[in-house]
Amino acid sequence: MEETLAVLPVSATGRVVTREQRDFFTRLPKVELHCHLLGAMREETFRDLARHYDAPIPADMAAGLYTRGRKPVGVLHALRAMEQYLLRRPEDLARLVREYLEDAAEAHVRHAEFFWNPTVTLNTHGLPYGEIQQAMVEAIEQAERDLGISALMIPAIDREAPPADAMVMVEEMLRHRHPRVAGIGIDYRENDGPPEWFADAYGLARQNGLRTTAHAGEFGMPWTNVGIAVEQLGVDRVDHGYTVIDNPVLAEGLKGRGMLFTVVPTNSYYLRVMKPEDWAHHHPIRKMLAMGLALHPNSDDPQLHRVSAAGAWELMYSHMGASRDDLRAMMLHGIAGSWASAERKAQWAAQWPLEFDMLAGAVEWEEGPSLRR
Ligand SMILES: [Zn+2]
């Protein structure tokens, strides 16, 4: 699973991660706030479902999808094929939930909030939303009993679909209101679906007490999308948000409000457009850290990015220059930005720093500049 750590250009790495440090990143108590169920689909599950449905998916798609090179290829077309052909019964989604939570628990994620996109599944297969949600909730409850991990679902708006479909999604969520479904997100190609188109759906969600987050400033899309997500959609946190660095005034304002950015060090866009020899040096996450923004690292599409939640944390240290204190702060930002109950968050905030200090105290840390160039 840690293949990404192996294929990333070594010349950009100033810190060689020791075995003890890698063990620390695994054992660190953590939440995960930004992971997509489709991107967490294991390769054998993909092949299994494709076979089961005799899906018209090109034979080489699975191989290409699950191979991470130095210049990752776009996977959105493959995600569409997965939605269209592989998720046809509620139990298919329940299986993905179960397998994702198994993988997350292995990386010592204690609480996960994950995205799934109802729109294509509902439109293509005519499955009732309530039935799918019920199957997924049962999978979460089972994982909680078996693995001790808690989880919340975040239905995400498909921004390539019309805004009316986003309204339908929120209405279905309200009709089948469940405490395991904490709020809404939005994803897919930001270039084709600016945040302001979805203000009504966000308004409806917020009026009814649902929490909100949004992918914004991904794929090199401008900082204005981050500003619109915060101001017009009223989001509680921002997924990615990288181009906020282009507007220091906006960044300063969001820092003052403690706005959480769920960042993804393996995000394909920057690995594609930046030079292999110095991508980590110019990566916006590094600048976001320097600006003092509240960041929290995540795996996003763990099976496709070939990275675990623990690996995402490791990259913040090895490639993004985070210090031991930054890591500790990010752990607390993750707790603060989570949508778990106030009681649980207070418990974590009291206990996890003690665990952090004990685990981190047993490891030697490099505090100097993290790039040897
Ligand atoms: Zn994402």
Side-chain angles (χ1 to χ4, degrees):
M1 263 301 267
E2 304 296 355
E3 287 165 40
T4 291
L5 303 179
V7 299
L8 288 173
V10 174
S11 61
T13 312
R15 287 169 172 162
V16 177
V17 172
T18 63
R19 194 175 331 133
E20 288 75 23
Q21 286 169 340
R22 182 158 288 177
D23 189 46
F24 165 83
F25 289 113
T26 301
R27 292 169 64 196
L28 172 73
K30 53 183 87 65
V31 297
E32 176 145 88
L33 304 178
H34 180 166
C35 180
H36 305 270
L37 206 51
L38 280 182
M41 188 189 289
R42 296 173 182 166
E43 183 170 357
E44 61 267 29
T45 304
F46 181 105
R47 292 182 185 281
D48 201 23
L49 290 172
R51 215 170 19 242
H52 178 82
Y53 291 119
D54 197 14
I57 290 179
D60 57 353
M61 185 180 273
L65 190 59
Y66 288 95
T67 305
R68 187 79 164 173
R70 285 195 174 191
K71 292 276 178 200
V73 294
V75 297
L76 292 184
H77 68 291
L79 295 178
R80 290 302 189 193
M82 289 156 98
E83 281 187 322
Q84 204 177 343
Y85 301 120
L86 306 185
L87 302 181
R88 308 179 68 150
R89 301 165 299 182
E91 65 239 54
D92 299 333
L93 285 128
R95 175 178 177 177
L96 295 193
V97 170
R98 169 74 187 192
E99 292 177 352
Y100 163 57
L101 293 177
E102 281 173 3
D103 292 343
E106 203 165 300
H108 290 234
V109 172
R110 306 234 180 128
H111 172 79
E113 297 174 9
F114 63 86
F115 298 112
W116 79 284
N117 296 90
T119 298
V120 168
T121 303
L122 294 181
N123 290 352
T124 310
H125 306 303
L127 295 170
Y129 174 86
E131 243 177 74
I132 306 176
Q133 178 176 286
Q134 185 53 33
M136 293 169 81
V137 164
E138 283 167 18
I140 288 176
E141 290 171 347
Q142 187 70 41
E144 186 155 333
R145 285 193 293 273
D146 297 348
L147 308 167
I149 184 173
S150 63
L152 297 172
M153 279 190 263
I154 311 176
I157 292 169
D158 178 347
R159 70 200 316 161
E160 295 175 29
D165 285 0
M167 288 298 279
V168 170
M169 184 192 89
V170 177
E171 285 160 4
E172 284 293 311
M173 288 171 68
L174 296 174
R175 197 167 298 135
H176 301 277
R177 197 74 188 259
H178 194 284
R180 297 279 187 188
V181 187
I184 64 166
I186 183 169
D187 54 30
Y188 277 116
R189 264 174 62 85
E190 194 179 338
N191 318 49
D192 303 329
E196 60 270 25
W197 288 3
F198 302 93
D200 289 346
Y202 272 79
L204 181 63
R206 279 190 294 111
Q207 280 157 27
N208 287 281
L210 289 167
R211 310 299 297 270
T212 57
T213 185
H215 281 50
E218 197 190 359
F219 309 113
M221 296 305 289
W223 61 264
T224 44
N225 278 3
V226 179
I228 290 168
V230 173
E231 299 307 333
Q232 288 188 33
L233 305 187
V235 293
D236 302 306
R237 60 192 193 216
V238 174
D239 300 310
H240 301 291
Y242 308 120
T243 48
V244 73
I245 62 170
D246 298 331
N247 183 337
V249 175
L250 176 66
E252 197 58 29
L254 295 179
K255 178 184 163 184
R257 290 163 62 166
M259 180 61 68
L260 181 72
F261 292 80
T262 67
V263 296
V264 175
T266 53
N267 181 262
S268 309
Y269 174 78
Y270 291 102
L271 290 174
R272 270 203 304 273
V273 300
M274 291 180 144
K275 283 191 255 158
E277 57 274 18
D278 58 5
W279 72 273
H281 185 65
H282 299 294
H283 201 289
I285 289 179
R286 185 175 279 269
K287 293 177 189 145
M288 293 166 90
L289 264 176
M291 287 171 138
L293 293 167
L295 307 188
H296 182 264
N298 297 271
S299 68
D300 198 14
D301 293 319
Q303 291 288 340
L304 308 184
H305 291 195
R306 308 311 277 176
V307 74
S308 67
W313 278 85
E314 180 179 320
L315 284 163
M316 295 299 284
Y317 175 74
S318 64
H319 284 67
M320 297 298 143
S323 66
R324 174 182 156 163
D325 287 349
D326 291 332
L327 297 169
R328 196 176 191 277
M330 289 191 294
M331 182 186 72
L332 294 171
H333 293 322
I335 295 172
S338 148
W339 296 340
S341 73
E343 298 94 289
R344 301 208 65 201
K345 286 166 60 166
Q347 269 177 7
W348 298 337
Q351 281 171 5
W352 292 10
L354 304 176
E355 288 188 54
F356 182 101
D357 293 341
M358 196 186 67
L359 292 167
V363 177
E364 275 193 49
W365 297 99
E366 201 176 315
E367 294 295 341
S370 68
L371 280 184
R372 227 175 273 138
R373 303 185 67 217

